[in-house]
Each structure stands twice: as C-alpha cells, then as structure tokens.
C-alpha cells in the first residue's frame, strides 16, 4: 500500500528525497516499482543533469533497488547498464545482478570481468550466483598476479562448490 504514493511522487520531489524514495522502494521489494524505476530514473534522458552528477547517483540507486526487488526477468533490463561507459553505473549494474542471483547474468558478468576495473566486483557476483558455468572463468583468475583477485576468486570457488548438487558436486571433491 505504501508503494503507490512513493511511485506517484518519484519525479515530484527534490534530488535528495528522490534518492531516499528509490532506496525505500528497493527495501520494500515490490515489483510494481520496477517499471517506474526503469522509465523515470533509468530511461534515456529521463533525468536532467543538475548538481554534480546527481542523476548518476539516482541511476545507481535505481539499479541497486531493481536488484533488491530481483525478479529474474529484471536481469535483461539491467544488462545494458554494464556497458554505459560510466563506472558508477557499471558497478551498480554488477551489484544489481549479484542481488538477483540469476544464472542469466553469468555470461555477462564473465565478459565484464575481463575489464580490470570491474574484475573484483564481477568475480564476487559470480561467487554469489554460484552457477557452474562460471567455473572456467574462476579457475583462470585463481592464478592472477593480484592477491585480492586470487582471494575473491578462491572465495567464489568455495561458495560455488558448497552450492552444487548432484554430479556437479563431485567436481569439488
């Protein structure tokens, strides 16, 4: 019941209040919020750039709210934001996909993990999702020259192994 007033006021409040509304919508986790977040906040040219990139902060919050709401069909709506050219938006899209825990995100997270800037976040998301299709990517990064990448990768592999069932479980013995 509290979702509708929030949605009606999404574009009628100042930037700070809009950010709070977006965060609350994500915490409520009502699927009715997805469409307004996609069109009013994430839509092309939906937000004018006002103060110091605040529109990107709103977009980032909207992506994470969609991730919290988390319907699997939301994956396809978040994926384009992995390649928007803005690191804040890319990191938020990775986090949204991690929150959704959908195997549909795995190939896209594997692809973005090739970019050094996003590797750690993408590997963490792959660990949370724990889809066996991520294993080849994780095994490669287990041999990284960077300690933090090796640690994140090892954690992801352990989590992946713990969540496997049936014949996939035997791979981790």
């Amino acid at each position: 019941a509290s979702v509708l007033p929030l949605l009606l006021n999404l574009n009628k409040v100042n930037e700070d209040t809009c950010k709070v509304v977006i965060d609350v919508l994500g915490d409520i986790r009502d699927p009715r919020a997805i469409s307004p977040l996609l069109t009013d906040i994430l839509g092309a040219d939906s937000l004018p750039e006002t103060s110091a990139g605040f529109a990107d902060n709103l977009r980032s919050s909207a992506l994470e709210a969609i991730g919290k709401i988390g319907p699997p069909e939301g994956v396809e709506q978040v994926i384009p934001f992995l390649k928007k050219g803005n690191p804040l938006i890319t990191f938020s899209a990775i986090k949204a996909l991690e929150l959704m825990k959908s195997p549909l995100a795995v190939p896209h997270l594997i692809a973005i993990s090739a970019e050094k800037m996003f590797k750690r976040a993408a590997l963490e998301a792959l660990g949370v999702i724990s889809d066996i299709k991520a294993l080849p990517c994780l095994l490669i990064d287990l041999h990284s020259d960077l300690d933090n990448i090796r640690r994140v990768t090892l954690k992801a592999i352990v989590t992946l192994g713990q969540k496997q069932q049936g014949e996939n479980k035997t791979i981790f013995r």
Side-chain angles (χ1 to χ4, degrees), residues 29 34 37-38 42 62-81 92-106 109 125 128-130:
R29 291 177 163 78
I34 290 178
L37 288 172
L38 284 167
L42 293 169
L63 282 165
E64 291 189 31
I66 290 169
K68 287 179 183 178
I69 296 167
E73 62 271 12
V75 171
E76 294 301 321
Q77 296 163 322
V78 171
I79 287 169
F81 293 95
S92 296
I94 292 169
K95 185 65 175 175
L97 294 171
E98 176 183 318
L99 290 168
M100 287 184 208
K101 298 180 183 176
S102 172
L104 298 172
V106 170
L109 290 168
V128 169
I129 295 169
S130 294

Side-chain angles (χ1 to χ4, degrees), residues 10 22 25-26 33-43 62 65-66 69:
L10 192 58
I22 292 168
L25 288 169
I34 290 178
S35 182
L37 288 172
L38 284 167
T39 56
D40 297 346
I41 307 299
L42 293 169
I66 290 169
I69 296 167

Side-chain angles (χ1 to χ4, degrees), residues 100-133:
M100 287 184 208
K101 298 180 183 176
S102 172
L104 298 172
V106 170
H108 305 282
L109 290 168
I110 289 171
I112 199 77
S113 76
E115 295 183 37
K116 186 177 181 179
M117 178 186 288
F118 305 117
K119 182 176 280 297
R120 181 175 180 188
L123 293 172
E124 287 173 348
L126 288 168
V128 169
I129 295 169
S130 294
D131 187 288
I132 195 71
K133 290 180 277 193

